[in-house]
Amino acid sequence: MLDRDGFRPNVGIILLNQKNQVFWGKRIRTHSWQFPQGGIDRGETPEQAMFRELHEEVGLMPNHVRVVARTRDWLRYEVPDRYIRRDARGHYKGQKQIWFLLQLLGQDWDLNLRATDHPEFDAWRWNDYWVPLDVVVEFKRGVYEMALTELARYIPRSEQQRNRYLRSGMRPRDGQDPSQPAPRTAQPLRTHGLLQNPGMELPPGASFDPDPQNEANNR
């Protein structure tokens, strides 16, 4: 389902844990990491689509989360031709998205990347709020920055972590906050003492779901 400009209606999900870190998923059998997202089916509201995608991609139900906020308007990005199926080129242009900020009420073990027969991710981790901007694929970066910036003001405050970003409402740049720890170096993932996929490195703290059954279509 495309609009008249060639954009597919879509939802994006920024899921926070109790430390105000965000869920970050690795697309199945790729080196690409992203937030959960997915298309809005005909007849669905954005919120209905968000809850469906939340279950399909990370295995969570509505009772596992609290909806904190959503973006007011559609945010759009264009997809480069090399990522578009040949039969869709010429009429498909990209995605227009409503973004939701969710607070996880459940536990890490409630997350399930294989809740359906067509998993989207095969690994996940928690990241500091702004880290995804530095590692997301280039053509999505502008939308990610707009969504993260608009929703940052709604991040719940906690005693464990006072979110410094809310003071300025903008993403901290290099050198702005010297009190922030340096990024950790990614290490090869080990499961039960054995190196998995030795040619691939995952960030520290990542969880790997080996041998998924089906590769999902690129979204």
Side-chain angles (χ1 to χ4, degrees):
M1 183 175 68
L2 302 178
D3 68 11
R4 61 185 179 183
D5 297 317
F7 289 89
R8 182 188 182 198
N10 193 281
V11 292
I13 299 171
I14 301 171
L15 176 66
L16 299 171
N17 66 9
Q18 297 305 313
K19 296 179 180 179
N20 289 334
Q21 297 170 314
V22 294
F23 175 93
W24 194 231
K26 189 181 80 64
R27 288 191 58 82
I28 191 168
R29 299 192 182 106
T30 74
H31 295 280
S32 175
W33 291 72
Q34 67 175 52
F35 288 131
Q37 69 173 68
I40 301 174
D41 292 338
R42 189 176 302 276
E44 278 189 321
T45 67
E47 184 165 315
Q48 288 170 338
M50 179 272 291
F51 280 121
R52 176 178 52 76
E53 292 291 338
L54 184 70
H55 178 256
E56 291 177 359
E57 297 198 359
V58 298
L60 296 179
M61 303 298 290
N63 61 292
H64 290 131
V65 299
R66 177 173 66 89
V67 179
V68 178
R70 54 165 280 180
T71 54
R72 291 174 296 177
D73 299 315
W74 296 102
L75 304 179
R76 292 171 172 80
Y77 67 83
E78 295 186 11
V79 177
D81 281 348
R82 65 182 180 276
Y83 294 106
I84 300 176
R85 296 194 315 267
R86 289 185 179 181
D87 60 345
R89 292 175 185 173
H91 57 272
Y92 172 76
K93 193 170 184 180
Q95 307 275 14
K96 65 175 186 180
Q97 298 179 311
I98 296 293
W99 282 84
F100 289 85
L101 181 68
L102 307 181
Q103 177 80 61
L104 179 65
L105 302 178
Q107 304 296 328
D108 284 13
W109 55 75
D110 292 317
L111 295 162
N112 177 14
L113 302 185
R114 301 175 74 177
T116 72
D117 293 332
H118 302 281
E120 295 282 345
F121 301 123
D122 59 18
W124 68 273
R125 65 159 297 173
W126 295 113
N127 266 339
D128 289 337
Y129 188 77
W130 297 103
V131 166
L133 288 185
D134 296 324
V135 289
V136 70
V137 65
E138 177 65 33
F139 66 86
K140 294 183 181 180
R141 191 164 296 154
V143 161
Y144 271 44
E145 183 155 17
M146 287 188 288
L148 287 166
T149 300
E150 180 177 346
L151 296 173
R153 72 189 71 180
Y154 302 105
I155 295 176
R157 294 180 179 270
S158 66
E159 292 302 319
Q160 292 82 7
Q161 181 182 25
R162 297 288 181 178
N163 199 309
R164 297 182 181 89
Y165 322 131
L166 300 182
R167 296 177 183 174
S168 64
M170 297 299 292
R171 177 192 174 202
R173 301 296 180 180
D174 291 345
Q176 268 193 327
D177 190 352
S179 66
Q180 292 292 322
R184 295 176 295 179
T185 303
Q187 299 294 330
L189 177 75
R190 293 182 180 273
T191 303
H192 303 300
L194 298 176
L195 183 65
Q196 299 291 328
N197 295 337
M200 178 180 70
E201 292 187 350
L202 301 181
S207 296
F208 185 71
D209 193 2
D211 193 27
Q213 298 296 311
N214 297 290
E215 182 167 1
N217 291 328
N218 192 19
R219 294 188 178 185

